[in-house]
Amino acid sequence: MFPIVTREEMAQGTVILNEIEAPLIARKAKPGQFVILKANEEGERIPLTMAETNPAKGTITIIYMVVGKSTALFRDLKVGDGYQDVIGPLGRPTHVEKVGTVLCVGGGTGVAVLHPITRAMKEAGNHVICVIGARNKDLLILEEKMKAASNDLRICTDDGSYGHHGFVTDVVKEVLAQTQVQQVVAIGPVPMMKAVCNITKEKNVPTLVSLNPIMIDGTGMCGGCRVSVGGKTKFACVDGPEFDGHLVNFDELNLRLKAYCTEEKQCYDGYCRLAE
Amino acid sequence: MSEKKEKTGRVPMPEQDPNVRKRNFQEVPTGYTPAMAQEEAARCVQCKKPGCVEGCPVSVDIPGFINLVNKGDFTAAIRHIWSMNALPAVCGRVCPQEIQCEGKCILNKKGTPVAIGNLERFCADYEREHGTGALPPTAAATGKRVAVVGSGPSGLTVAGDLIQKGHSVTIMEAFHKPGGVLVYGIPEFRLPKAIVAQEVNFLERLGVEVRCNSVVGRTVSLDELFEQGYDAIYLGVGAGLPSFMNIPGENLIGILSANEYLTRANLMKAYKFPEVDTPIPLGKHVAVLGAGNVAMDSARTAMRLGAESVKIVYRRSRDEMPARAAEIHHAEEEGIEFMLLTNPVRYLGNEAGRLTGMECLKMELGEPDASGRRRPIPIKGSEFQIKCDLVVVAVGSGANPLLTQSTPDLKLNKWGYIQADQETGKTSKRGVWAGGDIVTGAATVILAMGAGRAAANSIHKYLTWGW
């Protein structure tokens, strides 16, 4: 078992943080890599990119939104409970080097994945501008941490309850108009990453995205996580999870993420009825 | 049964009725009774120069164990098999006996070889159900440590051999359950998972440590394993990279590699959804591409999940189908259709990105190709479409690069498989052996076990005498 040592609720309980004891993974993990977690014997294998690792303490941290039965099971685990299985670190780490100015764009729980990458980019000597967004002020996560990890943090909310009133793409356009940016990293919901890539493509600024398709083993064996990148099929688990955003077929990815939406709903509804 | 028939015919193993079993996941053949086993064993003529032993990749003394079955000493029979084959319950079920032991049986000239596979299976099952659970003797501890990477057939064989020779053995498995292809690949109705669990448990009782969730190459590297004090490493990680057709529309929803489809069904038990949380696509009209054992397993799984029609789509003809004869026979009995000399050229989908059909070409057989089989050639203008909402691609697999990429001093061949000495399994890296599908490309359980046996002998020599 992999015990949970810290648990936090964020964004009005819709987003959960778990710090998990997994010393072997913590020792090896680098920013951008993911783990696969399984709550119990009957559980699904769920891939999540790590938000933090602490090799000295032997822990890794994941931050996830509750969207279905598996994440609801995760939510219901308390400190002292544990995950039956945690596998990793998987995927290729983010390529971090000093390029000049880096613009990091995060939406929703993508901000959690963006945090270690942002910090690594700054530690590598880059000037890091950060844009993070959420639907409203209460749903925004990791503001303080992102502020510490970057040189310049901008915030957007869809309803204008905090920071810029509008989407992260507005601010991305603004930053690109004012500043010479050498590298963009965009992590969040698929429509957000697609919209950011449309803008940066026009400006010809290299853009890294981190994808989270459906997968089982995470080691290149099942091929469920295939994505089209530059017209070629890639496996997100071993070739990614990060790719050149200008080459990713986001529309295909968005459709493939819905492959099991009927089954997911059936499973979640069953779980919610049990809880009632 | 007439006396004459007893002398000439094989004792058939009772099976579930095809119309019943095609909708359940219980094992198809239900096994011999002791009387049936003795009757079948009596058919063996105890050849002086037994062809069956030559035909067996791990050289089991087949007449020897059959003689013990004939005498009714089933415990002695299983002990005799164990000394040459660590996984008889598995091999009796999944070996292609018709091209190995039974193919070389002298009675095969009359078309009725001794049912060696059935007898092997009987011995293992009898021991499991009636045995004392007594462990075979192990040699005194040598103090040497061996890491076995992968818990499939070859890894389990190496672990079993080396623990009995007194070495300390740790198995590293990437998945959350041990067994490799025996657990994620071969379905419950062909190899019950309780049997695999018991084989693994047997090794654990002998002292083997099994570490799941250990992705060697990611969680830990080979050099780190040496630093941790392991004296030798065996790599039995399997092929593990699914091949696709590389035709238009391949990323539509409803097209899965056989690895994914079977892993969902077998390892994740998705056939019990929503009792378990992992779903599996339920196709009404299913096409399975390929005609090997994996294709048969996929087709028969789809039928059990309630499909209205299941087709095997294969570009060559019946004679070239690589699956075991028993699997093809069982699939046909269960109503699987065979669409032979047919090759898909593109997939058809709807605006939701879901599969709706497939365009295929008719093929004809030309001159033999490099594999010695007649090359399939497309017939011009023969395009036609079939309706399907699920395609399982079972056209083989390649070398998974995850481990080899992170181990640059391991020499690979041009296809990415690990180069290993044929006799010993030694790789280019000191202290590292390899065997099974990651060396040969996708093959059979028994060949992987044979490679494991050879490597275990070589590892033992190394640990005793040096590289």
Side-chain angles (χ1 to χ4, degrees):
Chain A
M1 197 185 67
F2 296 79
I4 295 171
V5 295
T6 317
R7 181 182 182 280
E8 272 175 45
E9 296 195 356
M10 306 166 135
Q12 297 181 314
T14 58
V15 173
I16 312 287
L17 175 149
N18 282 164
E19 186 185 0
I20 305 162
E21 218 176 285
L24 296 179
I25 301 173
R27 193 171 53 90
K28 295 280 276 198
K30 294 198 170 66
Q33 289 189 298
F34 67 96
V35 286
I36 285 185
L37 305 104
K38 188 164 160 291
N40 56 31
E41 186 61 30
E42 293 79 32
E44 252 184 308
R45 292 168 64 101
I46 300 291
L48 285 172
T49 304
M50 287 172 274
E52 187 103 47
T53 56
N54 188 334
K57 200 174 162 195
T59 62
I60 61 166
T61 300
I62 50 159
I63 295 177
Y64 55 89
M65 189 180 291
V66 179
V67 291
K69 174 167 177 191
S70 293
T71 41
L73 269 176
F74 291 5
R75 175 198 61 203
D76 295 346
L77 298 173
K78 305 281 177 279
V79 170
D81 295 345
Y83 289 85
Q84 183 170 303
D85 302 288
V86 181
I87 302 110
L90 300 168
R92 295 170 186 262
T94 310
H95 178 72
V96 177
E97 63 172 330
K98 188 177 175 185
V99 290
T101 301
V102 176
L103 172 60
C104 293
V105 189
T109 49
V111 176
V113 177
L114 192 62
H115 174 243
I117 298 170
T118 306
R119 193 171 49 196
M121 286 291 187
K122 191 178 166 193
E123 278 167 5
N126 294 293
H127 179 76
V128 181
I129 306 170
C130 226
V131 185
I132 60 173
R135 281 211 312 279
N136 60 49
K137 183 173 193 276
D138 292 332
L139 296 178
L140 193 75
I141 61 167
L142 299 178
E143 182 188 349
E144 287 309 312
K145 287 198 160 178
M146 290 306 280
K147 193 180 266 174
S150 58
N151 300 93
D152 176 2
L153 176 70
R154 323 271 182 101
I155 289 163
C156 322
T157 50
D158 297 1
D159 69 350
S161 52
Y162 191 43
H164 169 81
H165 184 173
F167 297 129
V168 289
T169 42
D170 305 338
V171 183
V172 168
K173 272 184 200 155
E174 216 178 278
V175 172
L176 292 180
Q178 294 161 351
T179 321
Q180 272 292 338
V181 173
Q182 278 72 41
Q183 172 80 54
V184 173
V185 182
I187 304 175
V190 173
M192 183 212 95
M193 292 192 284
K194 182 184 172 185
V196 170
C197 287
N198 283 342
I199 297 166
T200 60
K201 202 170 183 177
E202 228 168 75
K203 300 264 182 186
N204 219 3
V205 186
T207 302
L208 215 57
V209 294
S210 179
L211 310 182
N212 195 17
I214 294 170
M215 60 176 75
I216 301 183
D217 60 293
T219 61
M221 204 204 78
C222 83
C225 65
R226 51 199 200 276
V227 288
S228 293
V229 181
K232 289 202 176 92
T233 294
K234 299 276 179 190
F235 290 179
C237 64
V238 288
D239 301 322
E242 292 176 3
F243 293 102
D244 177 348
H246 295 162
L247 300 176
V248 170
N249 184 337
F250 289 105
D251 296 334
E252 181 188 277
L253 173 65
N254 211 24
L255 289 172
R256 286 183 65 81
L257 282 168
K258 295 179 183 141
Y260 297 98
C261 53
T262 317
E263 290 89 345
E264 282 161 9
K265 190 173 180 317
Q266 182 193 356
C267 215
Y268 190 34
D269 289 351
Y271 186 69
C272 295
R273 267 200 303 280
L274 268 180
E276 269 168 16
Chain B
M1 205 181 282
S2 74
E3 204 171 295
K4 195 178 172 203
K5 195 174 176 197
E6 275 176 31
K7 274 184 184 160
T8 56
R10 278 158 69 107
V11 177
M13 185 175 279
E15 290 178 355
Q16 277 196 71
D17 181 83
N19 284 314
V20 175
R21 72 178 193 238
K22 73 182 203 185
R23 298 296 190 203
N24 73 44
F25 278 85
Q26 282 139 36
E27 195 175 12
V28 170
T30 50
Y32 277 158
T33 60
M36 287 172 174
Q38 283 183 277
E39 185 186 335
E40 180 61 24
R43 292 183 59 239
C44 175
V45 297
Q46 296 286 322
C47 304
K48 285 244 163 59
K49 277 191 180 169
C52 54
V53 180
E54 273 172 42
C56 175
V58 295
S59 305
V60 169
D61 172 20
I62 293 163
F65 96 77
I66 289 183
N67 188 34
L68 292 164
V69 174
N70 193 13
K71 288 180 182 155
D73 193 348
F74 307 135
T75 304
I78 190 65
R79 281 181 189 275
H80 197 54
I81 299 174
W82 270 343
S83 68
M84 295 154 285
N85 177 353
L87 302 170
V90 174
C91 290
R93 287 171 166 85
V94 306
C95 268
Q97 286 94 2
E98 71 269 21
I99 57 165
Q100 296 175 358
C101 52
E102 293 181 20
K104 295 267 173 73
C105 175
I106 190 92
L107 300 183
N108 191 35
K109 288 186 177 140
K110 290 180 190 159
T112 53
V114 174
I116 300 167
N118 288 354
L119 289 172
E120 183 182 29
R121 172 194 157 149
F122 166 79
C123 293
D125 289 359
Y126 188 88
E127 172 67 18
R128 198 171 58 250
E129 286 153 23
H130 303 96
T132 57
L135 294 172
T138 51
T142 62
K144 302 284 184 183
R145 295 173 68 201
V146 181
V148 172
V149 184
S151 63
S154 79
L156 294 179
T157 303
V158 171
D161 282 8
L162 292 178
I163 197 88
Q164 291 185 55
K165 289 186 160 84
H167 308 298
S168 147
V169 181
T170 309
I171 296 180
M172 318 262 170
E173 166 57 44
F175 266 129
H176 57 271
K177 263 200 171 69
V181 72
L182 307 175
V183 161
Y184 75 73
I186 303 178
E188 179 76 17
F189 56 82
R190 200 147 79 80
L191 177 63
K193 299 307 146 230
I195 290 173
V196 183
Q198 184 150 1
E199 299 287 6
V200 174
N201 180 258
F202 174 73
L203 294 181
E204 287 179 314
R205 285 169 55 221
L206 284 171
V208 173
E209 187 197 347
V210 180
R211 260 187 228 164
C212 291
N213 300 325
S214 295
V215 186
V216 175
R218 292 273 198 232
T219 316
V220 65
S221 71
L222 295 190
D223 289 328
E224 285 168 327
L225 287 175
F226 283 126
E227 284 162 26
Q228 289 171 19
Y230 288 98
D231 300 291
I233 300 175
Y234 177 75
L235 304 175
V237 296
L241 183 77
S243 296
F244 285 90
M245 299 288 293
N246 296 318
I247 56 176
E250 197 129 51
N251 291 345
L252 288 164
I253 298 168
I255 302 168
L256 279 75
S257 74
N259 273 356
E260 178 178 1
Y261 187 67
L262 292 174
T263 300
R264 283 180 182 274
N266 303 330
L267 177 74
M268 306 309 295
K269 306 245 177 279
Y271 63 88
K272 293 182 180 168
F273 181 88
E275 252 177 74
V276 300
D277 297 340
T278 305
I280 188 162
L282 303 178
K284 265 192 187 149
H285 301 284
V286 182
V288 177
L289 312 184
N293 290 322
V294 173
M296 299 303 148
D297 287 345
S298 304
R300 297 171 69 199
T301 297
M303 183 58 89
R304 282 159 173 76
L305 287 170
E308 285 172 25
S309 76
V310 183
K311 292 180 180 71
I312 288 277
V313 177
Y314 183 48
R315 64 196 180 118
R316 300 180 197 251
S317 76
R318 181 166 291 262
D319 291 342
E320 290 85 21
M321 295 203 294
R324 281 174 94 211
E327 307 314 321
I328 296 169
H329 170 70
H330 281 147
E332 279 187 318
E333 279 189 337
E334 290 164 14
I336 312 289
E337 300 160 49
F338 287 76
M339 200 173 234
L340 304 173
L341 291 167
T342 304
N343 203 29
V345 287
R346 69 186 174 107
Y347 300 103
L348 313 166
N350 62 20
E351 63 290 343
R354 288 182 185 261
L355 177 77
T356 56
M358 205 166 62
E359 187 170 291
C360 301
L361 269 177
K362 284 272 170 211
M363 312 292 277
E364 59 189 351
L365 292 181
E367 295 300 310
D369 62 13
S371 75
R373 300 177 298 180
R374 293 178 64 193
R375 187 191 303 275
I377 303 164
I379 301 174
K380 264 205 178 127
S382 66
E383 287 88 349
F384 68 103
Q385 295 188 350
I386 61 169
K387 201 174 91 173
C388 53
D389 53 0
L390 174 62
V391 162
V392 180
V393 186
V395 296
S397 46
N400 189 317
L402 190 115
L403 170 69
T404 52
Q405 263 173 7
S406 66
T407 317
D409 48 347
L410 211 51
K411 266 196 195 143
L412 309 179
N413 69 16
K414 63 178 170 176
W415 297 284
Y417 293 109
I418 299 173
Q419 276 190 22
D421 183 82
Q422 276 206 334
E423 307 270 304
T424 62
K426 277 185 182 175
T427 69
S428 58
K429 189 172 166 72
R430 190 188 163 93
V432 179
W433 282 254
D437 286 2
I438 192 58
V439 172
T440 56
T444 58
V445 166
I446 187 71
L447 283 173
M449 290 178 54
R453 166 64 44 87
N457 288 336
S458 172
I459 292 170
H460 179 62
K461 266 189 206 147
Y462 167 68
L463 295 177
T464 316
W465 304 104
W467 186 247

